[in-house]
Amino acid sequence: MSSMTALIDCTVRYDLAESTCPPLRLTEDDLAGLSGVPLGYGTTRGDLTLRELIAAGAGVTSDDVLITVGAIHAMSLLPAKHVLLVGPCFPPARTLPSSRGARVDVVDARFDEGYRLPLDRIEAVLDPATDLISLASPQNPSGVRVEPRDLEALLDLAPTATILVDETYRESVYGDAPVPASAAALSPRIVTCSSVSKAHGAPGLRLGWLTTTDPGLYEQARTAKFETTIACSTIDEHLATRVLRRGTTSGPFLRSALDVVLRWAADHPVEIVTPDGGPLCCLRLPAGLDMDKFHATLSEADTRVAPGAWFGEDDHIVRVGFGHLSLPDLAQALANVAMAL
């Protein structure tokens, strides 16, 4: 079993490995609203009101939105035989296509390049058989966005491939910054996926979606959904609708938390790539650091960070999540990291 399962199976007091915004809690109004929700099957497309909310935020129509069991499920519904994956990445982005027998070529964005999309290296690896390019914006683990001009360039570089853009952290902004536009309407060859798990702080709902403006690809995905889960939970769809109607409110908190991390990094022997969005970033630790001892010392302090190996990154690069803890606990967690350094 992957050590990454510890994220949900084993809790620690100072969890810097977590990658969500502050978790939501059900209110009495939420529970009261469940009265009368039918517990029969939903539909293969998903609840219409929920799809309309998602479509309005993505710049597409409700007929372009398919509700899924989290973003991982959305990823699994896309047919592919030859995938080009931009790393480092959320592990299922790599394991899902390979488990279905697809060839997976990985082109890594690099810490020293600010994790910007490596178009030159992507072009060198592309071949006519590449039918799916998979990337995230903002990226997990770095929080770095893909610039729209780079996405347009990628469409030109791969004129026959479908491009999957994981937008799970798109709505997770800092302060009062506007939410960046979705890539959903940019091209029929672009598929996006997202969920209420990260930016909305509701991973317990296991509710996500994909968008595509290609009717044929939509029908393929809808059929694949029916053959795997039939439909999503009507209760999850109902609660997700309430979550999306609230909108995201974590921007001011994430701005404060990121500032805590940036000030801390400036005073310690680490390097940081400043993220564009999301409650997460990457730190590079000193090259001579004994990483086994580092993680063991953190464990003794009931603290953890996410090892780079989880994402296909170097051991001395770690993901730090700054959206899950209160500001006092975040400061203490970083003090524990300083001790381990």
Side-chain angles (χ1 to χ4, degrees):
M1 184 178 291
S2 166
S3 61
M4 198 172 185
T5 60
L7 275 176
I8 60 173
D9 291 338
C10 305
T11 60
V12 297
R13 169 70 187 277
Y14 301 108
D15 197 351
L16 292 172
E18 186 54 78
S19 59
T20 66
C21 288
L24 294 178
R25 293 186 180 274
L26 289 175
T27 66
E28 290 185 5
D29 286 343
D30 292 327
L31 295 174
L34 291 176
S35 176
V37 174
L39 296 182
Y41 286 116
T43 65
T44 55
R45 291 179 179 271
D47 179 78
L48 176 59
T49 301
L50 177 59
R51 288 188 288 115
E52 287 174 340
L53 282 171
I54 294 165
V60 294
T61 73
S62 61
D63 288 340
D64 301 322
V65 178
L66 182 69
I67 305 302
T68 60
V69 186
I72 293 176
H73 184 212
M75 292 178 181
S76 75
L77 301 178
L78 299 179
K81 294 181 179 179
H82 187 171
V83 179
L84 190 154
L85 174 65
V86 179
C89 63
F90 181 51
R94 183 194 308 257
T95 57
L96 281 172
S98 62
S99 70
R100 300 197 305 270
R103 171 181 166 182
V104 180
D105 295 326
V106 181
V107 177
D108 284 322
R110 296 172 179 169
F111 187 99
D112 286 327
E113 297 170 354
Y115 288 116
R116 297 303 170 186
L117 194 67
L119 288 170
D120 55 343
R121 295 194 296 279
I122 289 173
E123 183 175 16
V125 172
L126 279 170
D127 71 38
T130 303
D131 54 1
L132 180 67
I133 299 173
S134 177
L135 55 92
S137 179
Q139 182 195 60
N140 182 358
S142 72
V144 173
R145 291 194 190 101
V146 175
E147 297 291 341
R149 64 176 180 274
D150 289 340
L151 198 53
E152 292 173 356
L154 190 57
L155 284 165
D156 291 337
L157 287 177
T160 61
T162 297
I163 299 175
L164 170 63
V165 183
D166 180 351
E167 295 187 334
T168 298
Y169 291 103
R170 179 176 67 90
E171 295 179 74
S172 184
V173 297
Y174 306 139
D176 57 359
V179 173
S182 170
L186 188 59
S187 166
R189 290 195 293 114
I190 288 182
V191 176
T192 72
C193 66
S194 189
S195 75
V196 296
S197 296
K198 304 297 186 179
H200 296 277
L205 292 183
R206 307 311 309 134
L207 201 291
W209 57 87
L210 67 75
T211 75
T212 174
T213 57
D214 179 336
L217 183 55
Y218 185 98
E219 284 305 308
Q220 281 185 283
R222 187 169 73 91
T223 299
K225 174 189 173 180
F226 179 77
E227 292 174 347
T228 52
T229 63
I230 301 178
C232 293
S233 160
T234 53
I235 291 178
D236 284 356
E237 290 185 344
H238 175 82
L239 290 174
T241 300
R242 296 180 72 94
V243 167
L244 292 185
R245 279 176 172 159
R246 291 181 193 177
T248 55
T249 59
S250 59
F253 172 78
L254 290 181
R255 178 70 265 174
S256 296
L258 176 57
D259 287 343
V260 169
V261 174
L262 292 175
R263 288 194 297 267
W264 178 89
D267 292 335
H268 293 84
V270 300
E271 298 170 83
I272 186 170
V273 172
T274 302
D276 299 315
L280 71 178
C281 64
C282 282
L283 296 180
R284 182 159 61 189
L285 309 183
L289 186 67
D290 182 329
M291 292 305 296
D292 289 337
K293 184 176 180 181
F294 170 77
H295 287 293
T297 303
L298 281 184
S299 181
E300 291 172 1
D302 210 12
T303 306
R304 67 181 168 201
V305 294
W310 286 357
F311 313 98
E313 186 51 285
D314 182 85
D315 284 345
H316 283 77
I317 294 174
V318 298
R319 186 186 73 183
V320 169
F322 50 83
H324 193 70
L325 298 174
S326 67
L327 293 182
D329 279 355
L330 174 60
Q332 183 59 56
L334 291 171
N336 295 343
V337 173
M339 174 190 65
L341 289 172

